[in-house]
Amino acid sequence: PRPRPRLAVLTAGLLTALSLPLLSPATATAAATAADPSVAADTQAVSTYEAEDGTLRGVNVASTAPGYSGTGYVEGFDVAEDEVEITIPDSPGGLHELGVVYRAPYGQKNAVLLLNGAGHGEVTLTPTDAFTSVSAGRVLLEPGDNTVTVRSGWGWYEIDAITVSPVPPRPPHQVTDVPVDPEATPEARSLLSYLASQYGETILSGQQSLDDIAWIEQNIGRTPAIAGLDLIDYSPSRVERGTTSQEVENAVSWDARGGITTFAWHWNAPAGLIDEPGREWWRGFYTDSTTFDVAAALADPSSEEYALLLRDIDAIAVQLGRLQDAGIPVLWRPLHEAEGGWFWWGAKGPEPAKELYRLMYDRLTNTHDLHNLIWVWNSVDPAWYPGDDVVDIVSADSYPPAGDHGPVSGTYERLVDLVDDAKIVAMTENSGIPDPDLLAAYEADWSWFVTWSGDFIRDGVTNSREHLRHVYDHERVITLDELGDFREQGGCVAAHRAVSRWGTGYRAEVTVTNTGVTPLTGWQVSWPLAAGQTLGTAWNARVAAAGSTARATPADWNATLAPGESTTFGYLGATPWPAATLLAPSCVATTS
């Protein structure tokens, strides 16, 4: 049995049942400016609305805890129906940032949000003894009065106020397509480059398990572009109890159809399985079903527990190696939902989780020479982030209430901020599929979604068949038949070297080589730029900076390369000296 993953960190959504047509970001901004010219001058103006002035249902006003604004705060969220409805009067309409000012002295809580009576997902309230503001994502306000309702959810917290501020149009994304692994395979490089090229324009459809993909094909008539698979039954503590798995074979068959593969690993704890009713051995990835202490294991590399961690990673390396041998790139998402604490790898806090992730990266990449992996981190809190040097893509999982198909914009914006918009952001698990129209309206540019298996896709409630057809037929949603060959048919590598250096400048050259078996009709080379680094004159290629990434495309005469053929281009740059980044260019090839 595979227990359903628990609720992830933070979701913010919106039902499609809005009474007014959706506004594009440009239209929303124009409407706000027309109604209030000051919006154009100060798009960050914040308006505060006190909870104690709202409509109370099952809750009450208190003033005991210090630090609140206004005349008090609202408490008494102890049953599911308890709520406070706060009115935002005379809004010009348009896209706004929503904040919730709260206190949560009894541990982490989740509050349910409604916008104008329609479901708007949830917001996570991290533990705090002082009144604190948390972003609840974006809201698309209607002209006139609007209401935001905070409903109990997990309960036992206090609400002081909400805040709203107009949102300016989003500038172009600055994501990189350079993998963190300098030895990434051509297939992995091409996949990451493909995802970067689509980012902000489309969203790739995905589904967990091949059985549920088949159900979508039979009932909706379309095929997702991404298959979500799991290495759970390759965990040694499960294998020794008789489990077997066909997930690697499933990945091979899916790849043969032209699809993209993403893998998670519900890592059954290496030891300490409790194995009693309700905490059976096969639930050993849950914190409550094992006594394995990840912090203690990592603290003593000479311990048996540390050796078991390496044993398990090595066992998974064998399976990932089979995929590398088959030329299959993998969107690899280990240690998912760590910050939730319900899985043993996150039970001891952020530091052990980050250390284990970095240990896994080093072990798989450097010990086992696995370079077909695109590394996907799956938490939102900056305290849990393991570092830019070991993460290609950041992500979160979303399980809003049934029927909520909102854009999950709160989580999206936090992930964009986490990496300063330099990395792709993905929704790696979900129950309800976000409405593509709302994604566009909210500028929530998730790279892909992967709906979890079972009832979430089949029950007709979480995702109705009407909604599934709306999603899978949408022009912004990429399905398998629209994917094309994301790995191209050719391959290339780029070698980057410094030729000379003087004062504040340097001269560099890049050699591009066709490593495939077919002629190339084009190529693109990308590499990261350090803060303050600039580019000057280039020759034999067109070289330009796009945010923190440099990109080079061929001149008219050297775009075509025969198998094994090379071409060299050069450029001038200014400090800081990019010695480290010269080692990690990314090359993507095209064929006719």
Side-chain angles (χ1 to χ4, degrees):
R2 298 185 181 182
R4 181 178 302 165
R6 295 176 58 187
L7 182 68
V9 281
L10 177 141
T11 60
L14 183 69
L15 284 169
T16 56
L18 290 174
S19 60
L20 292 178
L22 292 172
L23 301 177
S24 69
T27 303
T29 302
T33 303
D36 182 359
S38 66
V39 171
D42 183 7
T43 56
Q44 300 304 314
V46 177
S47 299
T48 300
Y49 302 94
E50 297 293 340
E52 66 270 20
D53 296 334
T55 301
L56 311 182
R57 301 183 181 98
V59 292
N60 57 274
V61 176
S63 58
T64 304
Y68 58 84
S69 61
T71 59
Y73 56 88
V74 174
E75 65 176 10
F77 296 91
D78 49 18
V79 298
E81 297 77 16
D82 290 345
E83 64 184 30
V84 55
E85 180 183 286
I86 304 169
T87 297
I88 302 171
D90 302 323
S91 172
L95 202 58
H96 286 67
E97 189 75 26
L98 174 67
V100 176
V101 184
Y102 75 98
R103 196 174 81 101
Y106 307 112
Q108 180 167 304
K109 306 296 181 181
N110 275 42
V112 175
L113 299 176
L114 292 86
L115 174 63
N116 296 324
H120 197 71
E122 298 182 325
V123 59
T124 292
L125 309 177
T126 56
T128 175
D129 289 326
F131 283 103
T132 304
S133 180
V134 62
S135 172
R138 296 178 171 187
V139 287
L140 190 62
L141 299 180
E142 304 169 3
D145 292 352
N146 292 261
T147 61
V148 171
T149 302
V150 181
R151 184 174 288 170
S152 186
W154 291 8
W156 296 100
Y157 51 78
E158 297 154 4
I159 300 298
D160 183 27
I162 63 169
T163 62
V164 293
S165 57
V167 175
R170 185 189 300 283
H173 290 293
Q174 303 296 325
V175 303
T176 180
D177 61 356
V178 179
V180 293
D181 178 2
E183 299 181 54
T185 62
E187 295 86 359
R189 290 178 182 273
S190 291
L191 175 54
L192 184 59
S193 181
Y194 171 79
L195 294 174
S197 72
Q198 297 293 323
Y199 189 60
E201 302 296 328
T202 63
I203 182 170
L204 279 75
S205 56
Q207 177 60 49
Q208 188 74 18
S209 93
L210 294 191
D211 286 345
D212 285 308
I213 287 177
W215 185 91
I216 293 173
E217 291 177 315
Q218 294 165 7
N219 291 275
I220 307 301
R222 304 301 293 268
T223 305
I226 300 176
L229 304 174
D230 199 330
L231 293 174
I232 180 173
D233 282 328
Y234 296 105
S235 301
S237 66
R238 294 172 75 93
V239 172
E240 64 190 17
R241 289 169 171 79
T243 64
T244 60
S245 179
Q246 294 293 310
E247 288 289 72
V248 170
E249 287 78 7
N250 289 340
V252 172
S253 66
W254 178 248
D255 180 78
R257 295 186 61 184
I260 297 171
T261 300
T262 181
F263 263 105
W265 179 21
H266 281 85
W267 185 353
N268 230 57
L273 304 181
I274 293 175
D275 199 16
E276 63 183 31
R279 297 189 290 179
E280 294 83 0
W281 62 266
W282 44 264
R283 291 178 54 87
F285 48 89
Y286 281 128
T287 298
D288 64 6
S289 296
T290 179
T291 60
F292 189 81
D293 188 326
V294 63
L298 290 169
D300 184 4
S302 65
S303 67
E304 179 181 354
E305 289 75 15
Y306 188 91
L308 288 173
L309 289 174
L310 297 184
R311 176 204 66 177
D312 285 14
I313 295 171
D314 293 348
I316 294 304
V318 172
Q319 308 306 325
L320 295 173
R322 294 168 61 193
L323 298 172
Q324 178 165 274
D325 292 344
I328 299 174
V330 174
L331 297 171
W332 172 233
R333 185 174 63 108
L335 309 188
H336 66 290
E337 299 180 10
E339 71 185 81
W342 42 78
F343 298 138
W344 63 264
W345 50 84
K348 299 300 180 178
E351 297 309 317
K354 291 187 291 187
E355 184 179 351
L356 182 58
Y357 181 94
R358 296 186 71 91
L359 172 65
M360 183 184 296
Y361 177 89
D362 179 70
R363 190 79 176 176
L364 294 181
T365 302
N366 298 318
T367 301
H368 292 286
D369 288 324
L370 291 172
H371 304 295
N372 62 324
L373 307 177
I374 295 174
W375 289 78
V376 182
W377 178 246
N378 186 229
S379 284
V380 177
D381 191 333
W384 291 75
Y385 186 57
D388 287 342
D389 60 323
V390 291
V391 174
D392 289 307
I393 294 171
V394 291
S395 71
D397 300 344
S398 171
Y399 288 87
D404 186 336
H405 302 299
V408 201
S409 65
T411 306
Y412 179 81
E413 298 301 333
R414 291 180 67 192
L415 288 169
V416 169
D417 291 343
L418 176 67
V419 293
D420 196 24
D421 200 23
K423 296 180 186 287
I424 293 167
V425 175
M427 182 183 294
T428 42
E429 287 182 26
N430 59 276
S431 54
I433 303 174
D435 187 325
D437 291 325
L438 293 177
L439 294 178
Y442 277 73
E443 300 177 318
D445 295 329
W446 298 99
S447 177
W448 73 81
F449 67 83
V450 175
T451 309
W452 198 250
S453 56
D455 290 346
F456 292 130
I457 200 66
R458 304 187 189 212
D459 65 7
V461 177
T462 307
N463 294 289
S464 67
R465 294 199 184 189
E466 180 183 15
H467 179 65
L468 289 174
R469 293 189 183 97
H470 169 66
V471 169
Y472 275 93
D473 290 338
H474 200 281
E475 62 182 3
R476 288 178 56 92
V477 177
I478 294 179
T479 52
L480 182 64
D481 59 304
E482 300 165 326
L483 186 58
D485 189 355
F486 59 87
R487 287 171 300 189
E488 309 293 344
Q489 296 180 6
C492 63
V493 295
H496 202 169
R497 72 185 186 95
V499 176
S500 58
R501 178 183 181 184
W502 62 91
T504 61
Y506 64 93
R507 176 187 172 193
E509 288 185 349
V510 179
T511 299
V512 180
T513 303
N514 180 359
T515 58
V517 296
T518 57
L520 301 186
T521 57
W523 47 265
Q524 177 180 283
V525 175
S526 305
W527 64 95
L529 294 173
Q533 191 174 334
T534 59
L535 302 176
T537 303
W539 52 95
N540 299 341
R542 301 176 181 89
V543 178
S548 59
T549 301
R551 290 187 175 88
T553 54
D556 294 338
W557 58 269
N558 63 352
T560 301
L561 295 176
E565 187 178 5
S566 298
T567 188
T568 298
F569 68 88
Y571 68 93
L572 301 180
T575 54
W577 178 242
T581 64
L582 289 178
L583 302 177
S586 172
C587 186
V588 176
T590 57
T591 60
S592 57

